[in-house]
Amino acid sequence: MTLSKTSRAVFATGAVLALGAVAGCSSTDTGSDSGSGDGSTLSAIQDAGSITVGFAGEAPYSYQDDAGELTGATVALDKEIYSELGVDTVEGTLTEWGSLIPNLTADRVDSISAGMSILPERCESAAFAEPTIMYTTAFLVPEGNPDGLSDWQSAVDADITLATMSGAIEAGYAADTGIEATEVGSPQDGLDAVTTGRADAFALTGISLRSLAESTDAAVEATDAFVAEIDGVPQIGAGSTVFRQEDTELLEAYNEQLAPIVADKDKYEEILGEFGFTDAERPPEGLTAEMLCEGDLEAIADELGLGA
C-alpha cells in the first residue's frame, strides 16, 4: 500500500545553519494549568509576554541563524500563534532531540517547537497540538548513492549501517526492521557519520536532509523522499508543537489559533513558505493528533483515503 498525492509528501528545501546555545529558562516553574487561567502556564506566559520553547537545531524546523536568532518554520508558526495569545516573545533552549520531552516535563521549557512527530509512545508523556506538518523520510548518502537506496526496504535489503538521530522516528524504523543503526545527536553528526564512513547512510525527514545536502560542500546527496512502509503499513507521519499533559488550557488556546491557519492554504504558505514549506506539507483535513496518538496507521490511511 502506498500513499496518494493527497498525503502531501514533503519535498521542500531550506538551509542548515550553524548551531549554538540559546540561553533561556521556563517562564513558569509549576507548568500546570488550573483551567481557569490563574496560576496556569498560559496565564504565566501572557503575564511575562514571553515563552521559552525547546528546539533541537534542525533546519528548516527550528534552529539558529548566523546571528544566533531563533528561526525556522515551526518557530514562525509558533510566533504567529503566540502573538495572537498576547505573547510577543519566543525564546529558545537548544536541546538534543532525545532530551526534548524530558526537559519539557521537568519544567525547563514551556513547550517544544521542533516539528516533533506525533507517536503513541510520546503521547504517553506529553500532549501534542493538532498536526502542523506532514512528513516523509529520505536518506543522506555518498554521491552516486552507491547502495542504491530508494525506500526503506532497499535499506533493509542492502544490509547497511544506518545513522539515525537519537529519539527520532527513523530510529524506531531501524529497530523494527533489523537494520544495524548508530544513533547520533544532531543532523550535523549524521552528516559526519556518512562522510567519515561510520555509516553508509543517514535517515531523517526528507525536508531536513534536502536542506542538509544543499548546505554542505561534502560529497553527499539526499535521496528522493518516500513514505516508509513497515510490515506493509505506510508510516503516515505528522509533527506538531508539544506541551505538558497538564497544560490543557494552553493546548486548547494554541489549537484554536492553529485551526484556521492549517485550513487556509495561502495563510499556511505565508507563514511557513519562507522556509521551503508548501501546501504539500499542510496536513489533510480530518487528520488529528488523537488519531496519530492511537497509532493505527492503516486505519488512518483508510479513513482519510490516503492509501492505494
Side-chain angles (χ1 to χ4, degrees):
M1 181 163 57
T2 58
L3 295 186
S4 66
K5 291 182 180 178
T6 57
S7 64
R8 308 183 188 279
V10 177
F11 292 101
T13 61
V16 173
L17 301 173
L19 303 179
V22 171
C25 58
S26 174
S27 59
T28 176
D29 291 331
T30 64
S32 63
D33 267 351
S34 66
S36 65
D38 294 335
S40 70
T41 299
L42 177 58
S43 63
I45 64 174
Q46 288 174 329
D47 289 345
S50 68
I51 183 170
T52 299
V53 302
F55 74 104
E58 182 183 350
Y61 305 105
S62 54
Y63 59 99
Q64 290 174 287
D65 63 19
D66 288 333
E69 295 295 321
L70 182 63
T71 187
T74 62
V75 173
L77 180 62
D78 282 354
K79 286 181 176 179
E80 178 75 18
I81 290 174
Y82 290 131
S83 68
E84 292 297 321
L85 299 177
V87 180
D88 294 327
T89 302
V90 177
E91 299 177 332
T93 296
L94 180 60
T95 307
E96 283 198 3
W97 185 265
S99 297
L100 284 168
I101 289 180
N103 273 9
L104 174 66
T105 58
D107 297 338
R108 297 188 183 101
V109 296
D110 300 308
S111 72
I112 297 170
S113 183
M116 181 173 282
S117 293
I118 306 169
L119 302 175
E121 58 269 27
R122 291 173 179 165
C123 296
E124 293 177 2
S125 54
F128 285 79
E130 296 299 347
T132 59
I133 297 170
M134 295 299 290
Y135 283 133
T136 53
T137 296
F139 297 114
L140 187 77
V141 297
E143 281 186 349
N145 191 8
D147 292 302
L149 303 184
S150 58
D151 57 18
W152 198 265
Q153 188 58 45
S154 71
V156 176
D157 295 341
D159 192 26
I160 62 170
T161 297
L162 188 65
T164 59
M165 218 159 77
S166 178
I169 193 169
E170 292 80 16
Y173 294 167
D176 289 343
T177 56
I179 294 179
E180 181 181 351
T182 178
E183 291 197 351
V184 297
S186 70
Q188 182 61 48
D189 292 339
L191 170 63
D192 293 343
V194 173
T195 58
T196 60
R198 290 187 291 111
D200 300 302
F202 174 36
L204 199 61
T205 57
I207 195 168
S208 296
L209 290 188
R210 181 74 64 86
S211 298
L212 189 59
E214 292 186 349
S215 70
T216 181
D217 293 329
V220 296
E221 63 184 71
T223 66
D224 288 341
F226 57 88
V227 175
E229 288 197 11
I230 308 299
D231 295 330
V233 178
Q235 302 300 295
I236 300 168
S240 71
T241 294
V242 192
F243 302 94
R244 285 179 286 268
Q245 289 182 335
E246 61 266 30
D247 284 347
T248 54
E249 186 186 25
L250 177 55
L251 173 64
E252 291 169 2
Y254 187 97
N255 279 336
E256 184 177 354
Q257 298 298 325
L258 173 65
I261 295 173
V262 172
D264 186 336
K265 170 184 177 293
D266 292 337
K267 184 66 172 178
Y268 186 87
E269 292 185 341
E270 176 187 333
I271 297 170
L272 284 75
E274 175 185 353
F275 304 96
F277 288 75
T278 70
D279 189 48
E281 286 75 64
R282 189 166 61 94
E285 183 179 357
L287 181 65
T288 67
E290 181 179 5
M291 293 164 68
L292 291 165
C293 283
E294 290 175 354
D296 190 340
L297 300 182
E298 191 167 12
I300 293 173
D302 291 342
E303 182 170 342
L304 298 182
L306 302 179

